[in-house]
Amino acid sequence: MNDKELFIDSFLTAEKSINEKYINNSFDYLHFSEHFEKKMNKLLKKEKRMSFSTRTIIKHAFVYALIAAFIIVTTLFSVEATRNQLIKFVKHFKATYLDIEISDESVKYTKPIDKYYMLSYVTKDYKLVSSKKEDYFYMEVWQNDKNEQIVFSQGIINAGITIDTEHTFKQINFNGYDAYIVAQDKNILFSWNDDEYIYSIHADNSDEEEIIKIAKNIKKCK
Amino acid sequence: MLAFYMSLIDDDSDKNKFEIIYYKYRKQMLSMAYSVLKNQYDAEEAVQETFIKIARNIKSIKEPQSTSTLSYVLKATKNNSLNKLKSNKKRYELYDEFSSEKIADIPDDTFIEQLDIKNNYEKTVEIIKNMDERYRDVLFFYFVEEMNASEIADLLDRKKSTVKQQIARGKKLIIKKLQGV
């Protein structure tokens, strides 16, 4: 460490001590009002908004912006008849995009992921090159010799989104839930959800049949 | 939900960072705001306003899950809460803006050199812990988060000239304390 780094380190040591009561304290007893949640959801949504029209290829984490083009446009119902509706998405179709909001009465998930899933089947010649596990998402990147990739991701269902609707779009039923396929040539995204999580598989060079086969074979991480 | 996808598109994407920060620290921020403002409505408003500022300055946050980010959001929340107490803000601004003693800034390299940090590490930690937080906060954002005076001013809702003076005063205070003056 040089002197400047050492000074920064001393600062962080001091900060750690000052903020001791905030570290490792989840403050579970504190709750936000509905008014706050509503306002913040709007802000979150605004922060998340990404237009497909601004698509430039972003290779930083190996995925094209296409993956962001889309998502969950569904109404989720619990598989058990006795349980109440969990999440309802309200769709607003505009000229070039689709605005999807989680309805006010929906139960939103804000807890970190407690069941992580991974791919157990991938197209031949693809190898796992990276994976990332965070509290609220998980991803795996598989790659072949031509640098074509298959990216699997899992995240919590928490807020509305905006998607562009310029590309090939198809809705299917997958494991009892609505699922969506967005494609542009061989570049394909498959997205589905269950009661807790939303999943997606994006492939640089694949087709509908193969991507669904991959999706059917996700398994819980040990 | 798109943030989730954004996180895949760009590993350290600003959008993903914002969402992580939101879910990870929002209750800590509420607790901090409540401790200053003493009522839920104002505290929530302060947290919300702080998130807007964080969103605006999200590029300055490097690792959302780090302790320094916890410091970052708590400082931002506390300052924002204090600023809601107008008189407090006014007092802070007035002191550093119009104080007759304008401090000439010590260049960063000289400041670091004068610290002699290798021999004064523990002492420096104690000085930072105990120093007036208006100076500690700007020094934190300046040195640890590597933000410039304009960014700090925006985040803390202070004037840029005030922030510059506070950086200069903060540095001088640390050196003075180390020298036992």
Side-chain angles (χ1 to χ4, degrees):
Chain A
M1 263 192 217
N2 62 31
D3 284 358
K4 190 176 179 185
E5 288 165 343
L6 208 53
F7 171 60
I8 290 169
D9 190 72
S10 71
F11 219 120
L12 289 172
T13 305
E15 286 292 328
K16 218 170 170 178
S17 167
I18 294 162
N19 294 326
E20 210 174 353
K21 80 165 191 171
Y22 293 95
I23 298 170
N24 299 324
N25 186 344
S26 56
F27 293 93
D28 285 337
Y29 60 91
L30 291 177
H31 298 284
F32 289 93
S33 67
E34 266 181 45
H35 174 75
F36 175 88
E37 298 283 8
K38 229 173 182 176
K39 274 189 154 181
M40 281 309 299
N41 273 336
K42 272 187 187 159
L43 178 64
L44 273 176
K45 196 172 158 192
K46 193 177 154 206
E47 284 303 304
K48 289 169 182 181
R49 185 166 292 190
M50 176 178 169
S51 171
F52 204 43
S53 59
T54 61
R55 177 167 55 98
T56 12
I57 295 188
I58 306 169
K59 269 287 195 178
H60 188 181
F62 316 105
V63 192
Y64 291 120
L66 176 63
I67 200 168
F70 176 69
I71 296 358
I72 184 157
V73 196
T74 185
T75 302
L76 286 181
F77 291 93
S78 163
V79 286
E80 293 171 44
T82 52
R83 286 167 64 187
N84 294 323
Q85 180 179 329
L86 295 177
I87 292 182
K88 185 178 180 186
F89 291 91
V90 183
K91 304 172 204 174
H92 304 285
F93 285 92
K94 310 284 179 184
T96 55
Y97 66 92
L98 175 60
D99 213 11
I100 306 158
E101 288 178 347
I102 295 179
S103 67
D104 291 345
E105 69 270 24
S106 294
V107 178
K108 295 178 188 75
Y109 289 93
T110 55
K111 287 182 182 170
I113 296 173
D114 59 2
K115 282 174 283 180
Y116 289 90
Y117 288 87
M118 58 188 286
L119 300 187
S120 68
Y121 163 81
V122 281
T123 312
K124 199 179 164 207
D125 296 333
Y126 278 80
K127 287 175 186 161
L128 183 67
V129 290
S130 74
S131 64
K132 191 173 176 70
K133 194 186 256 187
E134 296 280 352
D135 288 349
Y136 300 97
F137 78 91
Y138 175 70
M139 72 176 284
E140 281 179 0
V141 180
W142 297 72
Q143 191 169 300
N144 66 12
D145 292 343
K146 294 176 194 164
N147 290 331
E148 290 164 341
Q149 288 164 341
I150 294 171
V151 181
F152 166 69
S153 59
Q154 173 192 357
I156 58 166
I157 299 171
N158 53 19
I161 53 136
T162 300
I163 60 164
D164 282 357
T165 50
E166 313 170 65
H167 300 274
T168 311
F169 170 79
K170 190 175 174 185
Q171 180 176 322
I172 64 166
N173 185 287
F174 185 75
N175 293 338
Y177 296 93
D178 287 345
Y180 304 92
I181 297 170
V182 180
Q184 186 185 38
D185 303 323
K186 286 282 192 180
N187 204 326
I188 188 162
L189 170 72
F190 181 55
S191 177
W192 75 102
N193 59 267
D194 56 23
D195 285 341
E196 293 170 286
Y197 306 115
I198 182 164
Y199 311 88
S200 81
I201 296 171
H202 168 261
D204 284 338
N205 185 7
S206 191
D207 56 41
E208 188 180 320
E209 195 183 336
E210 179 69 0
I211 210 162
I212 290 173
K213 187 176 174 185
I214 297 169
K216 279 182 176 165
N217 283 283
I218 64 164
K219 68 173 187 187
K220 215 183 278 181
C221 293
K222 285 177 185 170
Chain B
M1 194 63 242
L2 189 53
F4 167 57
Y5 289 88
M6 296 298 291
S7 70
L8 305 178
I9 291 162
D10 183 344
D11 195 31
D12 295 318
S13 95
D14 297 336
K15 292 173 171 63
N16 184 41
K17 276 195 280 188
F18 185 82
E19 190 170 30
I20 292 171
I21 290 164
Y22 177 67
Y23 287 115
K24 193 170 172 68
Y25 303 118
R26 62 188 203 145
K27 286 198 172 177
Q28 278 90 341
M29 291 165 75
L30 182 63
S31 169
M32 172 62 85
Y34 195 89
S35 71
V36 176
L37 296 160
K38 311 289 179 204
N39 81 75
Q40 176 87 9
Y41 184 84
D42 288 346
E44 285 188 354
E45 207 170 74
V47 170
Q48 195 196 331
E49 285 165 8
T50 307
F51 272 118
I52 291 167
K53 286 180 184 169
I54 288 173
R56 225 160 40 209
N57 290 283
I58 195 75
K59 286 195 188 307
S60 59
I61 295 180
K62 295 171 205 106
E63 175 47 64
Q65 314 248 28
S66 66
T67 339
S68 70
T69 300
L70 174 65
S71 291
Y72 184 118
V73 299
L74 289 176
K75 283 178 191 304
T77 309
K78 189 166 186 179
N79 273 279
N80 213 37
S81 305
L82 286 169
N83 286 345
K84 286 182 91 66
L85 302 171
K86 301 268 187 219
S87 57
N88 211 327
K89 181 187 173 191
K90 210 171 174 184
R91 183 168 59 80
Y92 270 32
E93 290 273 345
L94 280 175
Y95 179 80
D96 289 299
E97 188 69 10
F98 300 110
S99 166
S100 55
E101 192 207 351
K102 290 279 180 195
I103 301 286
D105 195 15
I106 314 165
D108 291 350
D109 290 348
T110 313
F111 167 67
I112 296 291
E113 203 177 307
Q114 286 181 1
L115 283 176
D116 188 16
I117 191 77
K118 283 191 179 81
N119 294 314
N120 290 318
Y121 185 92
E122 292 302 333
K123 214 170 163 185
T124 306
V125 170
E126 282 310 305
I127 292 168
I128 293 168
K129 271 167 70 176
N130 295 311
M131 79 189 295
D132 185 323
E133 63 187 337
R134 87 189 100 157
Y135 303 123
R136 186 172 64 223
D137 290 354
V138 293
L139 290 180
F140 171 84
F141 289 116
Y142 184 69
F143 282 105
V144 181
E145 298 296 334
E146 295 176 322
M147 292 165 73
N148 62 35
S150 300
E151 291 166 332
I152 300 168
D154 179 53
L155 184 70
L156 303 183
D157 199 16
R158 296 180 195 176
K159 288 178 187 164
K160 188 177 163 186
S161 55
T162 306
V163 169
K164 281 184 169 174
Q165 268 298 293
Q166 288 172 338
I167 291 170
R169 278 180 204 282
K171 286 185 203 170
K172 200 171 179 183
L173 272 171
I174 293 177
I175 297 296
K176 267 185 172 179
K177 289 271 180 193
L178 276 173
Q179 292 168 344
V181 180

